[in-house]
């Protein structure tokens, strides 16, 4: 049987990111531990997924009279997503990981990331943790906690060390 390219045979490591420092720390942590010292022969194929929210999912707005407000929010979300992708791509290239796939998918981050795990048949999912306390986590929800319980692969939750 003819062999295909080595990157298609490698297991997929998926990193779920948003535009916060905790996500970028998790991406940097992943690059340093699983890609930096392997040259071009990485043990994984890297896929980075950014879940871009929709105005209605964030604020529950919609309907008559909300058009201009929703349009402004939509443009802001697109701009922030473009900056997030640019920064993630730059981080990968700075660590000589030039074949990483970076995607933006619209929707709730919990669902987007778990669906991306299935789509890419990921072996490992890496997500950052905001380090919220129990009350804030209960109110806002925790993407990392949701993914740990619902993703169909092993999940690594990376916490950014607190500054001393």
């Amino acid at each position: 049987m003819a062999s295909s390219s080595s990157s298609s045979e490698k297991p997929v490591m998926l990193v779920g990111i948003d535009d916060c420092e905790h996500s970028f720390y998790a991406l940097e942590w992943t690059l340093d531990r699983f890609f930096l010292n392997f040259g071009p022969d990485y043990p994984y194929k890297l896929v980075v997924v950014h879940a871009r929210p929709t105005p209605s999912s964030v604020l529950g707005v919609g309907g008559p009279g909300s058009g201009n407000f929703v349009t402004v929010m939509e443009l802001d979300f697109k701009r922030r997503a473009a900056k997030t992708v640019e920064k993630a791509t730059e981080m990968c290239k700075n660590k000589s990981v030039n074949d990483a796939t970076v995607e933006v998918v619209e929707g709730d981050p919990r669902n987007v990331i778990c669906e991306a795990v299935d789509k890419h048949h990921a072996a490992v999912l890496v997500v950052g943790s905001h380090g919220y306390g129990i009350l804030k986590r209960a109110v806002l929800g925790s993407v990392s906690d949701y993914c740990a319980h619902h993703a169909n692969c092993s999940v690594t939750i990376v916490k950014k060390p607190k500054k001393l």
Side-chain angles (χ1 to χ4, degrees), residues 13-137:
M13 179 172 284
L14 193 139
V15 180
I17 62 169
D18 60 15
D19 61 351
C20 78
E21 64 179 307
H22 301 279
S23 287
F24 291 118
Y25 178 80
L27 176 58
E28 183 176 30
W29 182 92
T30 300
L31 291 167
D32 288 347
R33 282 159 183 77
F34 297 99
F35 294 89
L36 186 62
N37 295 321
F38 291 94
D41 192 27
Y42 315 119
Y44 294 95
K45 166 70 177 140
L46 181 61
V47 176
V48 180
V49 175
H50 170 60
R52 183 172 65 95
T54 62
S56 60
S57 70
V58 172
L59 298 175
V61 296
S66 64
N68 289 338
F69 181 67
V70 170
T71 301
V72 169
M73 285 187 71
E74 183 70 25
L75 290 173
D76 183 57
F77 288 154
K78 285 182 180 179
R79 179 188 55 77
R80 288 171 52 189
K83 283 185 174 185
T84 299
V85 166
E86 182 181 336
K87 184 172 181 177
T89 302
E90 182 180 319
M91 288 176 70
C92 292
K93 287 184 179 178
N94 286 343
K95 304 283 185 170
S96 299
V97 181
N98 298 312
D99 61 346
T101 301
V102 182
E103 300 177 348
V104 176
V105 181
E106 191 174 83
D108 182 295
R110 296 169 291 198
N111 298 326
V112 165
I113 293 169
C114 288
E115 289 167 6
V117 164
D118 293 339
K119 173 186 168 188
H120 293 284
H121 307 287
V124 179
L125 168 63
V126 178
V127 289
S129 172
H130 288 102
Y132 294 148
I134 193 164
L135 182 60
K136 204 167 194 182
R137 223 177 25 251

